[in-house]
Amino acid sequence: MTAQAKGAGRVSAEPNSAVGEQPSAKAKKAAKGPTKKAAKAATKQTKPESAKRTTAKPEPAKPASAKSGSAKPASAKPASAKPASKPESRLAMTRRARRINRELAEVYPYAHPELDFRSPFELLVATVLSAQTTDLRVNQTTPALFAAYPTPEDMAAAVPEELEQVIRPTGFFRAKAKSLIGLSTALRDRFDGEVPGRLADLVTLPGVGRKTANVVLGNAFGVPGLTVDTHFGRLVRRWKWTEQEDPEKVEAEIAEIFPKSEWTMLSHRIIFHGRRVCHSRKPACGACPIAHLCPSYGEGETDPEKAKKLLKYELGGQPGQRLNPPADYPGAPAPPLGGVTPGAA
């Protein structure tokens, strides 16, 4: 082979030759572009300064779940929330109150004062004794009392210790004996031994307040009056007729709702219902005849069968509180002192 041929062969084998051109390693790298390291460095150099400080945008915080106990956002509304009911107007309350009175009149057409008495004096004395005790216990005590002291003059002359022993079953017998002697003395000395028929006069007697005076006026003289005892006050507040606690303020507000002619019988119906159905601690809501009109329904037992077991006196098949009830009373007379009276309260 000539030297020229050898040289030609070497030339053809040179890199970048025209025949079978193959790029070198460096050329390959250049063709592929900058390396990852170089690209990263270039990016780092060209990246704006503000981009360096920019971090990933945090996702908006999600409201805490109910299980966490955290409060929900102010704008969130419970799924089960109901719109607040519109307050009852004065007119609507008055109409509802009068309807309750009408329906109670149908339930208790025989409502009456539950103290035994034969004269204004006996009713006055019995009402004073009824404080902090039951009418039943008073009715069981007064037969012996009036047998011993039938008139104001007799009671005014009573020996305190002897009178105390007679009325002892009614409780607070010392204070009550003092009141009975005091009011009897006042009747003897200031009213000729007669019980006055005016509220202004009655409340001047020892131990006599507006409640006692209204009982006597309404039931012995036929003068309308509201008897605001514990039962009356409790029920009219449950029925939302008033929010007052003071008996005189309760009396004033209820008097504005009903005509004067209804006051005495309204008192009897409410007290009857309070003693028989709408009890203080556990009212018999499920057996209440006016439950559909009561804004406090559900405070007591709502199951009808269980509620029936809570009914008292004639509604529960038990004797009433009077030993001598009116002729139209559907229940049995109460037994005398020493007898057994189921369900007394």
Side-chain angles (χ1 to χ4, degrees), residues 136-147:
L136 171 63
R137 183 51 54 92
V138 174
N139 293 335
Q140 292 173 329
T141 303
T142 49
L145 175 66
F146 294 133

Side-chain angles (χ1 to χ4, degrees), residues 29-258:
K29 287 184 178 180
K32 290 181 179 178
T35 62
K36 291 183 180 180
K37 187 173 182 181
K40 187 174 182 181
T43 304
K44 189 173 183 182
Q45 289 175 357
T46 58
K47 201 172 187 180
E49 186 66 27
S50 59
K52 294 180 182 179
R53 295 193 298 268
T54 304
T55 56
K57 187 176 180 181
E59 293 183 5
K62 295 181 180 179
S65 65
K67 292 182 179 179
S68 65
S70 303
K72 292 186 177 181
S75 60
K77 293 183 179 180
S80 60
K82 295 181 180 179
S85 58
K86 187 177 180 180
E88 186 178 40
S89 68
R90 173 75 180 180
L91 178 60
M93 183 275 290
T94 299
R95 288 175 174 171
R96 180 172 58 82
R98 293 181 177 182
R99 185 177 173 188
I100 286 176
N101 181 41
R102 291 194 300 271
E103 295 200 11
L104 288 180
E106 295 177 3
V107 177
Y108 307 109
Y110 50 86
H112 58 270
E114 295 194 87
L115 290 169
D116 288 328
F117 69 97
R118 297 168 297 181
S119 68
F121 175 64
E122 289 191 358
L123 179 57
L124 176 62
V125 170
T127 307
V128 170
L129 291 177
S130 68
Q132 305 298 319
T133 190
T134 65
D135 287 357
L136 171 63
R137 183 51 54 92
V138 174
N139 293 335
Q140 292 173 329
T141 303
T142 49
L145 175 66
F146 294 133
Y149 311 102
T151 67
E153 292 81 4
D154 294 325
M155 197 167 287
V159 177
E161 291 77 14
E162 294 178 357
L163 179 58
E164 289 172 7
Q165 290 306 308
V166 176
I167 64 173
R168 191 183 187 98
T170 66
F172 301 95
F173 54 91
R174 291 189 179 88
K176 289 178 180 179
K178 184 177 179 179
S179 293
L180 293 184
I181 292 174
L183 70 85
S184 297
T185 301
L187 292 177
R188 181 194 64 190
D189 298 344
R190 292 165 43 206
F191 298 101
D192 298 324
E194 299 292 334
V195 176
R198 295 196 318 139
L199 179 68
D201 293 330
L202 284 168
V203 295
T204 66
L205 302 174
V208 178
R210 288 186 66 90
K211 184 201 85 169
T212 297
N214 281 327
V215 170
V216 174
L217 290 173
N219 298 285
F221 293 100
V223 178
L226 291 169
T227 304
V228 185
D229 68 353
T230 55
H231 300 288
F232 189 101
R234 182 180 73 251
L235 267 62
V236 297
R237 284 187 288 273
R238 275 185 178 164
W239 294 336
K240 310 301 181 187
W241 295 359
T242 181
E243 294 181 353
Q244 299 293 339
E245 295 283 345
D246 180 77
E248 288 193 27
K249 292 180 180 178
V250 170
E251 180 184 342
E253 290 200 2
I254 304 307
E256 293 179 355
I257 301 174
F258 297 91

Side-chain angles (χ1 to χ4, degrees), residues 244-296:
Q244 299 293 339
E245 295 283 345
D246 180 77
E248 288 193 27
K249 292 180 180 178
V250 170
E251 180 184 342
E253 290 200 2
I254 304 307
E256 293 179 355
I257 301 174
F258 297 91
K260 199 171 183 178
S261 59
E262 286 291 313
W263 290 357
T264 299
M265 287 309 300
L266 172 70
S267 300
H268 293 326
R269 293 165 191 151
I270 291 177
I271 293 171
F272 255 58
H273 193 63
R275 286 173 171 166
R276 287 153 177 75
V277 180
C278 196
H279 312 135
S280 176
R281 295 183 181 178
K282 198 170 184 180
C285 295
C288 179
I290 57 165
H292 57 291
L293 298 171
C294 181
S296 298

